[in-house]
Amino acid sequence: MTHIPPRKDQVEDKERRFYVAAPASVYLQLQQEAIHRGTDLWTLGGSVLRSWLEAGCPNFGAQAKPPEKPSSPPPSSSPLAHEKGGAQ
């Protein structure tokens, strides 16, 4: 039987490549953005994922809940709206 190795104080954090799945259009957009930023697709994708993780994996994009709309419209800044009969 093998034993559990002890934890190390210093562990090398090597860069690793791994695959993700996305529509071809997203792949193309990321490639183009990487070119505009003077980097490669792998580095840009890793930077985006790292930033997302450091931000606490926030919900945004298509799955995020849209901001709630107020139940009533904001008050009008028109002076006529505050006079009697101004809204007729």
Side-chain angles (χ1 to χ4, degrees), residues 58-70:
N59 293 330
F60 56 86
Q63 295 180 351
K65 287 174 37 176
E68 292 185 23
K69 294 182 180 177

Side-chain angles (χ1 to χ4, degrees), residues 61-86:
Q63 295 180 351
K65 287 174 37 176
E68 292 185 23
K69 294 182 180 177
S71 58
S72 62
S76 173
S77 60
S78 168
L80 296 176
H82 301 292
E83 295 177 11
K84 278 191 170 184

Side-chain angles (χ1 to χ4, degrees), residues 6-36:
R7 290 187 177 199
K8 298 179 180 179
D9 292 333
Q10 296 289 327
V11 179
E12 186 180 354
D13 196 7
K14 299 176 186 176
E15 288 207 6
R16 305 272 312 210
R17 286 189 178 190
F18 61 95
Y19 294 94
V20 297
S25 60
V26 172
Y27 177 82
L28 180 59
Q29 284 179 304
L30 281 172
Q31 263 188 330
Q32 290 172 339
E33 187 62 30
I35 290 167
H36 285 83

Side-chain angles (χ1 to χ4, degrees), residues 49-66:
L49 289 171
R50 182 179 186 175
S51 295
W52 179 69
L53 286 168
E54 288 173 351
C57 306
N59 293 330
F60 56 86
Q63 295 180 351
K65 287 174 37 176

